[in-house]
Amino acid sequence: MEIAAQEGLLGPLLLARSAIDRSAVLRGDTEWLERSWADAATRVVVVDDGQALIRRNGEDAELVLLSTADAPEGERYLLGLDAEGIAYFAVAASSATDTGSFNRIVSPLDPSEPGEGQIVTAGLRQVGSLLGDLDAGLLVYAVALEAWHSTHEYCPRCGSRTEVRAGGHVRVCPKDDSQHFPRVDPAVIMLIHDDDDRCLLARGPQWPEGRLSVLAGFVEPGESLEQAVAREVSEEVGVRVADARYMGSQPWPFPRSLMLGFFARATSTEFVLDSEEIAEAHWFSRAELLAAMESGEVRLPSEVSIARRLIETWYGAPLTGDW
């Protein structure tokens, strides 16, 4: 059977949405950055260890965007401009000079009674699928920058504390003038199907029983994406693959990955599991997967993940239920 999405269409990749211009040319303009920060129209996303302020509205959610006057003092990162020219920044609450500022922001905004309009702190895994394009793009961007800055405060050459420059898109060592830029770790994630059109799903040993997904792994130095697909599948489950086909990509800032999605065809089907990486692996037909999900035997990754989109594209329709 022909795979349904050979054109590279995975449907909505919920963490790959954005509605801002990243405005890279403005990052080095110190005067413009200061003017924008002083502008009453500018809006700020406050992030703390991947969490942000979220207002729940029924089945939807939106970021609580603060004015610069209400934002805590801390490292600030330019996120960009929207279609109306409004500037957006992120502030890392963990770097705030007032270490309790994030909690103090939440308290006055949090209503006494839960329900419509309730404001909570949440991360992308919890609310990524509920946010609109603008808010989803802002939060993914802010979380990724915060994660990188939190682990790159010191120069890897001399150990000096680095300084934030270019609107949060570079750290500079004041001692040796070396520049350090946010990094992204490429990872392949692949749905493997065999000649009987079954798909391969597996469980890591750290996951509870029933929690299955496709295979994934980081790209190694000097390796192509297609080579990484073949190597990871062989290492983890002992299956050989061919015809790796790129399907789409999505940022995954946990903490700094870029997930590159593939379909690939298995040329062998017997499993030899790496017990440190894989606890169990199974081949599923569409009917078998649906039955396992309906019985509760199998649960799939959440809809914000590219893994879920790969599975649904192979299946040919949306699926319900997740981790």
Side-chain angles (χ1 to χ4, degrees), residues 218-284:
F218 288 106
V219 181
E220 293 187 347
E223 185 175 50
S224 72
L225 300 179
E226 293 79 6
Q227 289 170 335
V229 168
R231 175 185 54 77
E232 285 288 343
V233 176
S234 176
E235 290 177 354
E236 293 190 348
V237 297
V239 170
R240 296 186 299 277
V241 301
D243 304 328
R245 181 183 292 271
Y246 174 73
M247 301 296 291
S249 66
Q250 172 168 273
W252 193 247
F254 306 110
R256 60 181 66 86
S257 298
L258 175 64
M259 307 303 295
L260 301 147
F262 284 83
F263 278 172
R265 179 177 61 85
T267 59
S268 67
T269 58
E270 293 297 320
F271 294 132
V272 180
L273 304 185
D274 177 350
S275 60
E276 293 186 1
E277 296 286 338
I278 303 295
E280 59 178 313
H282 306 277
W283 291 105
F284 289 94

Side-chain angles (χ1 to χ4, degrees), residues 83-162:
E84 279 69 51
I86 295 174
Y88 293 84
F89 287 80
V91 168
S94 58
S95 71
T97 53
D98 176 2
T99 57
S101 58
F102 196 60
N103 289 332
R104 276 191 273 279
I105 291 170
V106 177
S107 298
L109 291 174
D110 196 8
S112 58
E113 295 295 332
E116 193 76 8
Q118 181 185 17
I119 293 174
V120 297
T121 57
L124 285 164
R125 294 180 190 271
Q126 293 78 40
V127 299
S129 64
L130 306 179
L131 297 172
D133 291 354
L134 174 65
D135 287 358
L138 290 172
L139 188 54
V140 170
Y141 198 179
V143 167
L145 283 175
E146 183 211 19
W148 180 77
H149 281 281
S150 68
T151 56
H152 289 76
E153 297 177 281
Y154 298 94
C155 177
R157 294 182 176 181
C158 67
S160 299
R161 188 177 183 87
T162 53

Side-chain angles (χ1 to χ4, degrees), residues 296-315:
E297 179 184 350
V298 169
R299 289 173 292 140
L300 297 182
S302 75
E303 60 182 342
V304 301
S305 68
I306 192 172
R308 177 65 165 266
R309 292 293 175 245
L310 287 165
I311 296 168
E312 290 181 332
T313 299
W314 165 82
Y315 184 78

Side-chain angles (χ1 to χ4, degrees), residues 19-37:
I20 61 167
D21 179 342
R22 293 197 171 206
S23 308
V25 296
L26 298 173
R27 295 170 186 170
D29 189 336
T30 304
E31 292 184 1
W32 181 89
L33 290 171
E34 291 302 321
R35 287 199 309 272
S36 295
W37 187 257

